[in-house]
């Protein structure tokens, strides 16, 4: 008997999207199928980000896609932006990470806190992919608690001198420009945190690849060293002030992750479903066995919940009422769901599930990073705990 339902859209979310949103999703879906899926296995095993894709991502408007057209961006709404993240992460979390960092963590702070000159100088080149950026917030001893950062920016006559180390920085080694967050007053005074646009060829700036990763292998993750890096006054983001500014950037990136995680889960589910239909064991396809059906039922239920949450979040963002706590809920729930779906898909595939030619284990390993970055699952639980009790438990 033919299945009554195919695909990964059980609740017909498709009918809620506008024609333009559907068209954008389908265009990116096709690009991921044609350009990412054929090369991702090699990039992953080779531990390298496929930089040849960057120009195309820029040309197709994927970088900073929701920022205005006057700066060379696509000016899309937030649901369309989310659908782009979903499709990119259906390919690989590393590809979505690249786009998230470039758009939400580099272009967004320049757009939101930058001078007109900074916007005109950087945004069109970052949108086209001509320039690559990274975001330096985390430090070796300050991950979940960035407010404690010890990187400093010391005021000198015509500018600032930066000193410190940033850790786990996506795109770090391949960047032309870094958004660096640093203390400008006493260490521990979160109001004194400011942001700087630092060209990576500035003397004293260096980046070193993070060795030994077992996750996000097709992504550049690096440590940044700033040793007496002298920058002019014009490099400061004039409208950024205090910890709130980098946290506002995180809200943008977490929003994209809430959608992206759904894409990774969809890829795993569809692979598992297809495999279950073909793999014959004990005289029948494993798709006909009750345990595998329960697995698939759990997967598509989780994906459907995640799609609904991302969709509603997107409409709230477009209406201008979305809160950071709503983003925390979606990031936390959807990444957790995707981790679960990827693990169950890997298990359904049996021995083949550990091979790189299938995507489940790659997604499963990637999602462990996604679970941790942009606020760990625990931190988002504490953000939600504070939202509902009024008590901060960090
Ligand atoms: P707290 O006192 O709570 O907040 C300071 C001020 O900021 C406001 N705020 C936010 N505003 C916008 N969006 C948010 N998400 C915000 N969170 C807080 C807050 O209202 C306050 O404003 P005001 O006006 O009262 O001054 O600050 P806290 O030091 O107690 O920290 C709170 C906590 C733990 C939630 C925060 O530090 C946190 O989110 N920690 C997690 C760190 C994190 O997520 N790091 C991510 C680094 S970047 C990254 O991982 C990139 S991976 C990218 C990829 O490859 O895709
Ligand atoms: P820690 O903060 O040391 O946490 C360790 C454990 O303690 C976790 O389980 C955490 O949930 C838990 N914990 C922490 N505080 C509490 C608490 N109060 N109560 C209970 N439990 C708690 N950062 C950037 O700035 N830019 C980037 O581009 C970037 N890219 C990244 C890419 C990758 C692949 C990874 C892995 C990380 C990246 N990060 C980046 C850093 C990331 O945001 C941090 O790893 C993350 O915020 C967690 O910090 P940490 O690793 O220091 O863990």
């Amino acid at each position: 008997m033919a299945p009554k339902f195919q695909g990964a859209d059980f609740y017909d979310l498709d009918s809620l999207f506008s024609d333009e949103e559907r068209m954008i999703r389908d265009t990116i879906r096709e690009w991921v199928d044609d350009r990412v899926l054929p090369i991702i296995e090699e990039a992953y095993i080779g531990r390298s980000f496929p930089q040849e894709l960057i120009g195309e991502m820029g040309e197709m408007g994927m970088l900073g896609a929701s920022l205005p057209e006057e700066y060379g961006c696509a000016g899309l709404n937030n649901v369309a932006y989310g659908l782009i993240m979903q499709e990119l992460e259906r390919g690989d979390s590393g590809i979505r990470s690249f786009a998230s960092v470039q758009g939400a963590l580099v272009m967004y702070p320049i757009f939101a806190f930058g001078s007109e000159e900074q916007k005109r100088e950087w945004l069109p080149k970052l949108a086209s992919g001509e320039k690559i950026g990274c975001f330096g917030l985390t430090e070796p001893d300050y991950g979940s608690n960035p407010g404690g950062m010890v990187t400093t920016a010391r005021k000198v006559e015509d500018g600032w001198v930066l000193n410190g180390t940033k850790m786990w920085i996506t795109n770090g080694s391949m960047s032309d420009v870094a958004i660096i967050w640093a203390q400008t007053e006493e260490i521990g005074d979160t109001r004194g945190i400011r942001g700087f646009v630092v060209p990576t060829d500035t003397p004293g700036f260096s980046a070193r690849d993070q060795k030994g990763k077992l996750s996000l292998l097709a992504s550049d993750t690096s440590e940044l060293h700033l040793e007496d890096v002298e920058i002019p006054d014009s490099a400061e983001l004039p409208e950024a002030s205090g910890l709130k500014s980098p946290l506002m950037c995180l809200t943008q990136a977490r929003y994209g992750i809430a959608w992206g995680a759904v894409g990774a889960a969809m890829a795993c589910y569809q692979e598992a479903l297809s495999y279950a239909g073909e793999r014959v064991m004990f005289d029948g396809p494993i798709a006909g066995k009750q345990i595998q059906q329960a697995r698939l039922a759990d997967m598509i239920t989780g994906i459907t919940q995640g799609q609904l949450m991302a969709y509603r979040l997107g409409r709230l963002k477009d209406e201008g009422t979305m809160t950071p706590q709503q983003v925390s809920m979606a990031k936390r729930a959807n990444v957790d769901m995707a981790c679960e779906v990827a693990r169950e898909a890997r298990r359904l595939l049996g021995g083949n599930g550990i091979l790189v030619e299938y995507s489940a284990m790659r997604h499963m390993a990637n999602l462990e990073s996604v679970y941790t970055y942009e606020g760990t699952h625990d931190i988002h639980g504490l953000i939600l705990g504070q939202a509902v009790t009024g008590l901060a438990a960090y």
Side-chain angles (χ1 to χ4, degrees):
M1 199 174 98
K4 282 203 183 319
F5 168 77
Q6 285 168 325
D9 182 13
F10 207 80
Y11 269 25
D12 191 21
L13 267 280
D14 209 55
S15 64
L16 299 178
F17 298 128
S18 68
D19 288 345
E20 192 192 4
E21 288 161 353
R22 266 194 299 272
M23 186 271 286
I24 289 163
R25 181 204 54 198
D26 293 346
T27 305
I28 307 300
R29 183 168 287 180
E30 205 174 303
W31 180 81
V32 168
D33 287 345
D34 290 351
R35 301 288 291 126
V36 178
L37 296 184
I39 56 133
I40 195 63
E41 177 185 327
E42 200 181 321
Y44 199 82
I45 289 294
R47 295 177 163 271
S48 68
F49 177 80
Q51 292 198 36
E52 67 273 18
L53 300 179
I54 296 174
E56 291 174 43
M57 293 173 84
E59 257 169 52
M60 292 175 72
M62 293 182 225
L63 306 176
S66 55
L67 297 178
E69 289 172 81
E70 66 170 303
Y71 296 114
C73 307
L76 302 181
N77 74 7
N78 288 291
V79 169
Y81 172 88
L83 286 165
I84 294 175
M85 296 298 127
Q86 173 189 290
E87 292 308 314
L88 292 180
E89 197 149 357
R90 197 173 58 75
D92 191 82
S93 301
I95 308 291
R96 197 271 309 137
S97 269
F98 169 80
S100 280
V101 169
Q102 180 93 344
L105 296 180
V106 179
M107 296 170 71
Y108 170 80
I110 294 173
F111 173 70
F113 311 123
S115 63
E116 196 53 38
E117 196 188 339
Q118 288 168 335
K119 292 182 212 183
R120 301 259 165 230
E121 179 182 354
W122 289 107
L123 292 180
K125 289 180 197 150
L126 290 161
S128 68
E130 183 190 335
K131 298 284 181 194
I132 300 171
C134 66
F135 177 87
L137 179 67
T138 305
E139 298 183 358
D141 294 328
Y142 297 94
S144 296
N145 180 23
M149 69 175 68
V150 294
T151 293
T152 54
R154 184 167 47 85
K155 188 77 190 83
V156 291
E157 200 182 346
D158 298 327
W160 299 87
V161 178
L162 304 182
N163 276 288
T165 302
K166 297 289 178 180
M167 181 137 183
W168 298 115
I169 307 305
T170 302
N171 301 349
S173 296
M174 60 186 198
S175 281
D176 301 289
V177 63
I179 303 294
I180 297 292
W181 299 95
Q183 291 279 5
T184 59
E185 289 166 20
E186 241 176 87
I187 299 293
D189 174 9
T190 57
R191 286 163 311 170
I193 292 173
R194 298 192 203 187
F196 300 89
V197 184
V198 184
T200 56
D201 58 4
T202 310
F205 185 104
S206 59
R208 198 171 53 207
D209 216 27
Q210 176 66 55
K211 301 279 182 219
K213 283 190 303 178
L214 292 173
S215 167
L216 275 186
L217 302 189
S219 176
D220 165 3
T221 314
S222 300
E223 202 173 290
L224 308 182
H225 294 273
L226 299 120
E227 220 179 302
D228 290 329
V229 174
E230 287 181 42
I231 47 171
D233 281 326
S234 59
E236 185 196 346
L237 290 169
E239 304 300 326
S241 112
L243 181 62
K244 185 172 183 153
S245 300
L247 294 181
M248 284 170 67
C249 304
L250 299 187
T251 294
Q252 308 306 312
R254 292 166 178 173
Y255 169 79
I257 292 172
W259 283 87
V262 174
M266 284 162 63
C268 294
Y269 164 76
Q270 287 185 303
E271 179 174 79
L273 181 63
S274 151
Y275 188 87
E278 286 164 15
R279 179 67 175 165
V280 173
M281 200 51 56
F282 294 100
D283 303 323
I286 59 171
K289 313 290 179 191
Q290 291 180 355
I291 290 174
Q292 306 312 334
Q293 289 192 359
R295 259 203 176 115
L296 292 165
D298 287 342
M299 286 184 206
I300 191 64
T301 304
I303 288 167
T304 304
Q305 289 167 338
Q307 288 167 333
L308 287 165
M309 198 175 256
Y311 173 78
R312 176 65 186 145
L313 193 68
R315 291 289 182 237
L316 289 172
K317 195 169 193 311
D318 279 329
E319 285 164 16
T321 60
M322 182 190 84
T323 66
Q325 293 78 12
Q326 289 169 335
V327 178
S328 284
M329 181 182 280
K331 190 273 182 185
R332 181 174 188 263
N334 285 3
V335 175
D336 202 33
M337 173 278 291
C339 287
E340 195 67 28
V341 168
R343 190 169 51 238
E344 290 305 318
R346 203 238 41 86
R347 289 175 180 171
L348 182 147
L349 265 67
N352 282 330
I354 72 158
L355 298 177
V356 74
E357 64 199 70
Y358 292 90
S359 73
M361 188 137 173
R362 173 169 53 79
H363 282 296
M364 185 181 112
N366 282 341
L367 287 161
E368 286 300 312
S369 286
V370 183
Y371 185 90
T372 289
Y373 69 37
E374 286 290 354
T376 67
H377 183 81
D378 302 332
I379 289 295
H380 289 294
L382 296 175
I383 291 170
L384 293 175
Q386 182 177 7
V388 298
T389 66
L391 302 170
Y394 313 109

